[in-house]
Amino acid sequence: MQKHKISAQNKEKAATPVARLAPAEAKRSAEVERKTRETSVTVALKLDGSGRGEAKTGVPFLDHMIESFARHGFFDLKVEATGDLHIDDHHTVEDVGMVVGRAFRQALGDRAGIKRFGEATVPLDEAVCTAIVDISGRAYLGYNVPISQERVGNFQTELVHDFMKALTDEVGMNLHLNLVSGRNPHHIIEATFKALARAMDHATAREPRLSGVLSTKGTLSS
């Protein structure tokens, strides 16, 4: 009798479904490292984070922008980089954009279940910038953020374009950045990063009504 009772309990236990996360849901995070003769960059990213950003790149203004991006996109993002800053900041800024983009691509996996599109307009005092994102698998950057000043402190303002291009190419997304208005270069750049963060937060979010990828082709990998 006892033996029969135990057997029945085991059978019932075996029949009870166990909740498991789907592989795409379980991932949504990535750690990426890239080393060259010019730079060494490591990035840790969690898409479903709380906005914890930490950046140590040797370029203080870039650190500020990355931490702001993480905060306003609700991403947990840690970036560490060393580079040939004795030459200039270009290699470091561009390569950080590349590795952050690669981390997003890996964290998104096959891109199943995501909203794919995102759009945000963000003001910062007199500056207003709009970011439009399509995580389509195809890379295209429309960059319409004219900045008349050459520098913010020691940071070259044209490097923002290089960062965004590297990020866009690695994620494999359409990104359109449009400056609506602005005078102060710090405000313009910060509004740009915040708008991107908000748009990326929406585009990478899960869509509960969706099964598979949001595409009639059935893939967003290319």
Side-chain angles (χ1 to χ4, degrees):
M1 185 70 176
Q2 182 67 19
K3 181 178 180 181
H4 175 73
K5 184 178 180 181
I6 293 173
S7 178
Q9 288 176 343
N10 289 339
K11 185 177 180 180
E12 182 180 354
K13 184 177 179 181
T16 302
V18 178
R20 297 182 185 277
L21 289 175
E25 293 180 338
K27 191 178 181 183
R28 291 184 64 85
S29 63
E31 294 185 8
V32 182
E33 182 178 12
R34 181 178 184 269
K35 291 185 178 182
T36 71
R37 292 169 61 184
E38 296 170 341
T39 65
S40 175
V41 183
T42 59
V43 170
L45 169 68
K46 183 180 179 182
L47 296 180
D48 304 311
S50 59
R52 294 193 302 269
E54 181 182 347
K56 297 178 181 178
T57 68
V59 184
F61 188 76
L62 178 62
D63 293 347
H64 177 41
M65 292 302 104
I66 290 172
E67 291 171 1
S68 180
F69 171 79
R71 181 65 173 170
H72 291 277
F74 295 94
F75 305 118
D76 289 345
L77 178 61
K78 183 177 182 179
V79 179
E80 295 182 353
T82 56
D84 51 4
L85 299 179
H86 60 285
I87 297 176
D88 72 4
D89 295 350
H90 176 267
H91 292 147
T92 298
V93 174
E94 186 174 53
D95 288 3
V96 167
M98 181 185 300
V99 182
V100 170
R102 196 168 294 181
F104 268 95
R105 186 179 69 201
Q106 292 188 17
L108 287 165
D110 64 3
R111 310 182 188 210
I114 65 168
K115 291 181 181 291
R116 174 178 167 178
F117 298 98
E119 181 176 358
T121 300
V122 170
L124 179 55
D125 294 344
E126 88 296 342
V128 179
C129 186
T130 294
I132 304 171
V133 168
D134 175 11
I135 305 179
S136 61
R138 300 180 305 278
Y140 181 85
L141 174 64
Y143 187 84
N144 183 29
V145 186
I147 303 174
S148 58
Q149 297 89 342
E150 182 181 351
R151 293 180 181 271
V152 176
N154 293 322
F155 182 83
Q156 295 173 278
T157 56
E158 67 178 11
L159 294 180
V160 178
H161 192 165
D162 297 326
F163 177 92
M164 295 298 180
K165 180 66 166 62
L167 176 77
T168 300
D169 287 348
E170 288 296 324
V171 176
M173 66 178 178
N174 284 188
L175 172 60
H176 291 263
L177 296 169
N178 297 294
L179 181 65
V180 179
S181 64
R183 174 193 56 80
N184 181 286
H186 189 138
H187 292 171
I188 291 171
I189 296 170
E190 189 166 345
T192 300
F193 272 85
K194 288 178 178 177
L196 173 63
R198 299 289 291 173
M200 288 289 285
D201 177 40
H202 190 271
T204 60
R206 296 186 181 98
E207 170 52 69
R209 298 168 295 178
L210 179 63
S211 175
V213 298
L214 188 57
S215 172
T216 55
K217 295 188 302 182
T219 180
L220 291 175
S221 60
S222 61

